[in-house]
C-alpha cells in the first residue's frame, strides 16, 4: 500500500473545498429564490391593502388640478359623502410635504408577514453565500477575487451585506429587497454559467497584499454604488409620479399601487446622494491603491490600461454628479441622470473591460 504524496493530498483537499463552495453557492441561489417569492408576496398583498385603496381614492380623476374626489363611506345611519382634502404632492421652500410611503406591505398584515419572512430568508441566503465564498478562498488559499467568477460571487455577497447592514441600522430600505434579490440571482446565474473558472493560483504579479486592499475596496464601492443607483432609479419614477399628480394627471392603477408605497422622491434622492457621497472617497482610495500596486507589479503607477482608464472615467463621472448636487441648476433629475451614467461606467469597468477589452488586467481571465 502506498501513501499519496502531500501535494496530491493538498490538491484533493482543495478540489473538495471548491466542490463545497459550488454547492453552497447553488444552495444560496435556492434560498434567494425563496426570498424572491416572499418579496413578491409582500408586494402583492400590499397592493390589496387599505393604504393602496386609499391612495387610489386620493388620486384626482377627471377634476381640475388641486381638486379632490369625494368618497362615500358607510355610517351607522346610512351613508355619508366626505370631501377629500387637497393632496399636496410636491415639496416647497425646502420642506417636504410628501410623506414616505408605508413600504412594500402597504400596511397589510399578511404583506408585512411575508416581508419579514423574505428578510429572514435573505439573511439565511447571505450566510450560506458568505460561507461559499469563504470555502472558495480556502480552496485556492488566497483572497476569493482572482477572476471574474470569484469577483461576482463576492460582489453579490457584499451587496446583500450592505442592504442587511442598512436594515440593521433601522434605515427605511426594505422596499429595496425585491430589486436586490432579483439582481443578485441574475449576477450569480451569470457567474455559475458564463463566468465560472476552476480554482487556480494567481499569476506572480498578483501575489501582493495590495490584492486584499485594492480589490476589497473596489468590491465594497461597487456594492454601495449599486444600492445608490437603485435608489436613484426609483427616485426618477417616484418624481415623475409626483409631478403627474401635481399637474392634475391620473397615473395608472399599477403605478399608483407601486409608487405610493415607496419613500417620497425627496427621501429617495437624499438616500442615493448620501450613499454615493459617503463611498466616493473610498473609490478615490481604490484608484490610488491600484496605482501603487501597478508600480509594484509592472514598474509604473499609471499606464492608461483599459481598466485604469475606465476606473478614472467612473471617478470623474461620480465627481461630476457630486458637483452637480452642489449646483442649483443641476439638482434633482439632471443630477440623477449623471448618477446613473456614473454607475453605468462602473458596470462597464466591471463587465465590459474584463470580457471585451484586452489589457494588463486580462491576465485573470473571466
Amino acid at each position: 500500500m502506498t501513501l499519496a504524496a502531500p501535494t496530491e493530498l493538498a490538491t484533493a483537499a482543495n478540489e473538495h473545498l471548491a466542490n463545497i463552495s459550488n454547492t453552497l453557492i447553488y444552495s444560496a441561489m435556492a434560498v434567494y429564490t425563496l426570498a424572491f417569492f416572499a418579496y413578491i408576496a409582500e408586494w402583492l398583498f400590499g397592493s390589496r391593502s387599505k393604504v393602496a385603496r386609499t391612495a387610489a381614492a386620493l388620486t384626482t380623476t377627471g377634476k381640475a388640478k388641486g381638486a379632490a374626489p369625494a368618497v362615500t363611506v358607510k355610517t351607522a345611519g346610512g351613508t355619508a359623502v366626505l370631501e377629500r382634502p387637497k393632496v399636496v404632492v410636491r415639496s416647497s421652500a425646502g420642506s417636504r410635504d410628501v410623506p414616505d410611503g408605508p413600504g412594500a406591505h402597504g400596511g397589510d398584515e399578511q404583506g408585512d408577514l411575508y416581508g419579514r419572512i423574505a428578510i429572514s430568508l435573505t439573511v439565511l441566503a447571505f450566510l450560506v453565500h458568505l460561507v461559499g465564498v469563504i470555502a472558495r478562498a480556502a480552496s485556492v488559499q488566497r483572497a476569493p477575487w482572482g477572476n471574474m467568477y470569484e469577483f461576482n460571487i463576492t460582489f453579490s455577497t457584499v451587496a446583500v451585506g450592505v442592504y442587511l447592514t442598512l436594515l440593521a441600522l433601522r434605515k427605511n430600505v426594505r422596499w429595496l429587497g425585491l430589486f436586490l434579490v432579483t439582481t443578485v440571482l441574475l449576477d450569480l446565474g451569470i457567474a455559475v454559467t458564463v463566468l465560472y473558472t476552476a480554482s487556480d493560483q494567481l499569476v506572480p504579479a498578483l501575489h501582493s497584499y495590495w490584492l486584499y486592499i485594492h480589490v476589497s475596496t473596489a468590491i465594497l464601492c461597487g456594492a454601495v454604488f449599486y444600492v445608490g443607483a437603485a435608489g436613484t432609479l426609483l427616485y426618477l419614477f417616484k418624481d415623475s409620479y409626483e409631478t403627474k399628480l401635481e399637474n392634475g394627471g391620473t397615473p395608472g392603477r399599477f403605478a399608483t399601487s407601486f409608487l405610493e408605497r415607496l419613500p417620497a422622491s425627496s427621501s429617495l434622492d437624499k438616500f442615493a446622494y448620501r450613499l454615493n457621497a459617503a463611498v466616493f472617497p473610498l473609490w478615490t482610495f481604490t484608484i490610488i491603491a491600484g496605482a501603487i500596486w501597478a508600480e509594484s507589479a509592472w514598474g509604473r503607477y499609471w499606464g492608461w490600461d483599459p481598466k485604469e482608464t475606465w476606473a478614472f472615467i467612473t471617478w470623474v463621472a461620480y465627481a461630476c454628479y457630486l458637483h452637480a448636487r452642489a449646483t442649483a441648476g443641476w439638482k434633482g433629475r439632471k443630477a440623477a441622470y449623471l448618477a446613473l451614467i456614473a454607475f453605468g461606467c462602473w458596470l462597464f469597468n466591471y463587465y465590459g473591460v474584463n470580457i471585451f477589452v484586452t489589457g494588463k488586467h486580462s491576465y485573470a481571465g473571466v
Side-chain angles (χ1 to χ4, degrees), residues 157-171:
T157 307
V158 176
V160 177
V162 170
Y163 168 67
L164 294 178
T165 299
L166 291 173
L167 283 177
L169 294 174
R170 300 186 181 279
K171 302 299 181 181

Side-chain angles (χ1 to χ4, degrees), residues 31-111:
V31 182
Y32 279 129
T33 302
L34 294 177
F36 170 80
F37 286 115
Y39 283 119
I40 288 288
E42 179 186 21
W43 280 95
L44 288 177
F45 279 104
S47 68
R48 303 175 183 179
S49 70
K50 183 184 296 184
V51 171
R53 291 196 299 271
T54 302
L58 289 172
T59 304
T60 57
T61 306
K63 296 198 174 187
K65 176 181 177 181
V71 179
T72 302
V73 297
K74 293 182 178 180
T75 64
T79 60
V81 177
L82 301 180
E83 292 293 329
R84 289 288 185 183
K86 179 181 177 180
V87 182
V88 181
V89 297
R90 299 290 290 174
S91 58
S92 60
S95 62
R96 191 184 72 211
D97 298 317
V98 183
D100 289 339
H105 57 81
D108 182 83
E109 291 185 3
Q110 280 187 296

